[in-house]
Amino acid sequence: MPERAHDPAHRFRDYATLVEQIFTRGPQTVADQIGNHVPGGTDPSSPPGHLRWLLLSRAHLLARSHDRAEVACVLYDLLAPRTPVFAWLTGVERALPPVRLTARGPEGVPEDPRLVRVLTGHRAPVRSIAWSPDGEQLATVGAYDSCVQIWRTRDWSRQERLDITGASLDEAVWSPDGHRLAVLGRSDRFPDLGEHEPDDVHGRQGRVEHVHMVLVYATATWKEIAATPTAPRWGTGDRPSLAWSPDSRTLAIGEDIGVRLWAMEAPEQPAWLGPVPDVRKILDLDWHPDGTLTALVQREQHLSGKRPTVPASMLVTWPEPNTAPHFRSWHEGLPGRPYAGLRRHPDGARACLFAGRGPDLCEPDGSGMLWQRSRFGHLGPQTRAVEWSPDGHRLAELRSRHQGWADIVLWGTERGREPSVSARIDCAPEETTALAWSPGADLLATGGVSGVRLWRPETGKPHHGSFDMRVTTPVWSPDGAHVAVLSPGLGEWFVVDARDPAEPEPFGPECPFPRRDPEKEKELVETARQEGEDHDPYTGVYGRHAPDAVSPGQELYALAGDGDPIRVFDLRGGGSRLLGKEGPGGRWMLLRFTPQADRLVSLHQRTLTRQDGGEREEELVLTLWDVATGRPSARERLWRDRTSETERVEHPRALAVGRTHLAWCGGEGTVALHDSATLKPVSRTRTTGAATGLVFSPDEDALAVVGDGGVRVVDLVEVGDRAR
């Protein structure tokens, strides 16, 4: 024991201690401690070094866990295939929960050594990433958690958190001198203009124009020093664009048909740049260090006769925007499809224009287009962002594939040569939202659903799962040996071996295994809905999207109305009855019958506000109903603090009920197991990508889970059961 007490690796080798530290201190902190204190901790080929890399590259699966048991299960699945690391640890079986969920199938995260680490500070998707000019700080913007986080790049610790209460944020931009940070978003600080008619249920009458805000912070103190509203814009997905002047004194705001120059410290504001003829809106801005301001605009392309106008792209350049509002426009060779973004090359002579179909290169001051991609329309990967490397030698393109995966393509862009692909990096299956080069060009940052990923932009062999597609509707074979899943994008069924679901086999347009006839079930549901129309106000507003369920034998149908009790219809004998007398006090989310159809499990959600301080909590309530008596027999509340940095707000997508257990899966890859009689939680784990459907195997010893990451088979294993 004395030798162990002085062994710095002991607290990381003992599995229970390792789980405790990850849960209380976070995976990234534990990984950094391994690198600093354990021999071989920085060598990925050694067991502790590989463990450190796993904690950094899979931090999104281990951060903000529900409890220690979830950490133990997720970590077990990460380590089990890695024999040297697994053997290096001690006491693994003793530290696992009595019943654990262990997943089989593709990990959903590339095994790529170019992935340096994942930053997991945001509860919501990361919408914007911005490096400070000196490369010592990284600003990340959460789309819906109303905050901007500032990270120190020397150790990746969080330096600051800017909370903007009630805001939905879009972008953060550093000034060139690094002394200011501008943040774009929306909140009630500057109210929208216009209103909807009070009796307009669908929001189709009246007109509301959205007003964004621009906040500026001093980076020395992180105090707000200025704020301004932007011109109102029509369209919920539309937003202004921002660009700092080279001297960091003026902020250009692309508002509508022109550009406003906002000089925060000047007694008089510069001239407004616009309007430009035929311009409908400003799409993007680039203020080059040489002083040239360029705007990508959407204009009206007038056609002959009475045919409607077609949106087209145009570049508008102001050589001296602060002193002379004169501009020149360029649209030679631009196709009818409007572009979404503009990035000027560091030398200022070239520009990259991009849309979903990919990047194109042009020469605004020269002869026209230099290079255009041959990809057209919405087929294949869709470009989300492009960025030039600081030295201008490479162009990074961030793409999302329709089947869920994402990748980074690095293009060599030497002048006089056609761009060519120099490297490709596969990312995790998520909707990727942001891309940024570090000032030293040694790192690329990408943002997405699960956080910020940091990559080394080097050549290497791309790695990704073999089944990179979103799938739905899992169906087990009668013997439990295989699982069939449907790819909605391809309209085809695939079959996987339940023992190794990594290799799917295409089957065809029809499910290969017996399942309930969806058309027959649809007819039964239609009949029940007609009968319940008079007392189902939810149907009148949301139609077929009301939560409902059909019993396994198709003898009962349950429907949850808007604020009303659940109504159960007898599909064979006719008639209906209510479960309970009160509504959910929030909104119904999911309904499922037990296999015997004698009980029904419901899930509803409501948001509560505490009286002291007004913080919001989300309550998710599982209820077990006795169908015969209409009374609840068990209830379990799942609480989540919506303002917490460490607790996740679960968003269940699907529910499965078996004879002894029930399970649900969530939008953050959560798979949770409960006792079906008491509804008490038993175990849980996490997978990469949103999980959208699950079903028990015939013997109920496993779950087939589907979603953005493909199909996974999750076993229910009692610790000590060596058969699995």
Side-chain angles (χ1 to χ4, degrees), residues 32 50-51 84 112 164 178 183 186 284 313 341 346 352 402 411 419 448 465 508 553:
D32 291 336
H50 195 73
L51 173 61
D112 196 323
I164 306 172
V183 179
R186 286 186 59 205
D284 203 0
S313 297
C352 176
H402 279 290
W411 297 87

Side-chain angles (χ1 to χ4, degrees), residues 202-266:
H202 301 286
R204 295 171 181 168
Q205 301 173 15
R207 180 184 178 98
V208 173
E209 297 189 359
H210 302 287
V211 177
H212 287 71
M213 63 179 181
V214 180
L215 309 179
V216 179
Y217 293 84
T219 58
T221 61
W222 294 113
K223 301 296 184 183
E224 182 187 316
I225 58 175
T228 184
T230 67
R233 307 190 79 169
W234 172 249
T236 56
D238 197 10
R239 66 178 179 86
S241 52
L242 302 179
W244 282 98
S245 63
D247 61 7
S248 301
R249 296 180 180 180
T250 306
L251 196 62
I253 307 174
E255 295 189 325
D256 199 347
I257 60 174
V259 178
R260 176 161 68 98
L261 300 182
W262 180 34
M264 289 164 288
E265 299 176 352

Side-chain angles (χ1 to χ4, degrees), residues 92-409:
V92 175
E93 292 293 332
R94 295 195 308 272
L96 291 170
V99 178
R100 72 169 183 260
L101 296 173
T102 180
R104 284 181 275 152
E107 281 194 47
V109 176
E111 185 79 12
D112 196 323
R114 291 173 291 184
L115 177 59
V116 177
R117 68 168 62 211
V118 180
L119 304 178
T120 58
H122 290 281
R123 287 196 300 107
V126 174
R127 180 165 286 175
S128 171
I129 303 169
W131 297 82
S132 63
D134 59 10
E136 294 183 0
Q137 296 164 301
L138 182 69
T140 59
V141 177
Y144 304 115
D145 59 1
S146 304
C147 77
V148 180
Q149 302 205 35
I150 312 298
W151 307 82
R152 293 186 182 92
T153 59
R154 65 174 181 270
D155 58 5
W156 297 109
S157 62
R158 193 176 70 185
Q159 175 185 349
E160 192 69 33
R161 176 187 171 108
L162 307 178
D163 288 296
I164 306 172
T165 304
S168 175
L169 303 179
D170 293 299
E171 184 181 15
V173 185
W174 292 84
S175 62
D177 62 8
H179 294 164
R180 296 184 178 98
L181 184 74
V183 179
L184 174 69
R186 286 186 59 205
S187 74
D188 294 335
R189 183 165 180 174
F190 300 109
D192 294 336
L193 302 180
E195 60 183 15
H196 291 301
E197 298 294 332
D199 59 346
D200 179 20
V201 177
H202 301 286
R204 295 171 181 168
Q205 301 173 15
R207 180 184 178 98
V208 173
E209 297 189 359
H210 302 287
V211 177
H212 287 71
M213 63 179 181
V214 180
L215 309 179
V216 179
Y217 293 84
T219 58
T221 61
W222 294 113
K223 301 296 184 183
E224 182 187 316
I225 58 175
T228 184
T230 67
R233 307 190 79 169
W234 172 249
T236 56
D238 197 10
R239 66 178 179 86
S241 52
L242 302 179
W244 282 98
S245 63
D247 61 7
S248 301
R249 296 180 180 180
T250 306
L251 196 62
I253 307 174
E255 295 189 325
D256 199 347
I257 60 174
V259 178
R260 176 161 68 98
L261 300 182
W262 180 34
M264 289 164 288
E265 299 176 352
E268 296 184 5
Q269 293 299 308
W272 194 71
L273 303 179
V276 179
D278 296 333
V279 170
R280 294 180 58 189
K281 65 180 69 174
I282 307 296
L283 299 173
D284 203 0
L285 292 173
D286 186 288
W287 208 330
H288 196 266
D290 66 7
T292 302
L293 176 62
T294 304
L296 174 67
V297 305
Q298 183 177 328
R299 68 185 183 95
E300 293 285 4
Q301 180 179 336
H302 297 281
L303 302 179
S304 60
K306 296 183 179 180
R307 296 172 62 190
T309 59
V310 178
S313 297
M314 180 170 66
L315 292 183
V316 179
T317 302
W318 291 269
E320 299 179 12
N322 282 313
T323 58
H326 303 293
F327 66 89
R328 62 176 181 266
S329 61
W330 181 91
H331 55 86
E332 180 183 354
L334 297 187
R337 293 180 297 275
Y339 288 94
L342 158 73
R343 294 296 182 270
R344 200 89 187 222
H345 190 275
D347 65 12
R350 290 174 285 170
C352 176
L353 303 170
F354 65 93
R357 65 187 184 87
D360 294 341
L361 301 184
C362 68
E363 205 168 28
D365 299 329
S367 58
M369 300 302 297
L370 299 174
W371 176 74
Q372 290 182 277
R373 293 293 306 276
S374 59
R375 180 156 43 91
F376 294 99
H378 297 286
L379 299 176
Q382 296 294 296
T383 301
R384 299 298 180 185
V386 300
E387 293 291 343
W388 294 98
S389 62
D391 58 11
H393 293 163
R394 289 179 291 178
L395 182 72
E397 176 193 5
L398 181 62
R399 313 184 304 179
S400 66
R401 297 198 280 270
H402 279 290
Q403 306 300 341
W405 285 78
D407 61 15
I408 305 168
V409 179

Side-chain angles (χ1 to χ4, degrees), residues 401-555:
R401 297 198 280 270
H402 279 290
Q403 306 300 341
W405 285 78
D407 61 15
I408 305 168
V409 179
L410 298 178
W411 297 87
T413 58
E414 293 184 18
R415 195 169 180 84
R417 295 185 180 180
E418 184 172 295
S420 59
V421 175
S422 61
R424 189 171 71 82
I425 302 173
D426 287 296
C427 304
E430 61 179 8
E431 187 67 22
T432 307
T433 55
L435 175 70
W437 284 90
S438 65
D442 56 333
L443 287 176
L444 265 173
T446 58
V449 173
S450 57
V452 176
R453 286 182 170 82
L454 300 170
W455 306 86
R456 285 191 295 268
E458 304 167 351
T459 58
K461 182 180 179 182
H463 296 79
H464 63 79
S466 58
F467 197 25
D468 55 343
M469 63 176 63
R470 295 186 177 118
V471 292
T472 64
T473 322
V475 179
W476 285 88
S477 63
D479 59 3
H482 296 85
V483 179
V485 292
L486 175 66
S487 169
L490 300 177
E492 295 250 344
W493 287 85
F494 289 79
V495 176
V496 297
D497 187 331
R499 295 168 299 180
D500 182 15
E503 296 296 335
E505 294 291 338
F507 184 83
E510 300 295 332
C511 181
F513 306 133
R515 68 179 185 126
R516 295 192 302 193
D517 185 351
E519 291 302 320
K520 180 181 179 182
E521 191 167 286
K522 181 180 178 181
E523 292 177 4
L524 294 172
V525 169
E526 285 291 333
T527 302
R529 281 184 178 274
Q530 290 294 327
E531 180 181 346
E533 187 174 354
D534 294 339
H535 49 254
D536 180 23
Y538 194 98
T539 303
V541 178
Y542 292 101
R544 304 177 185 279
H545 299 291
D548 60 0
V550 177
S551 62
Q554 297 184 330
E555 66 270 33

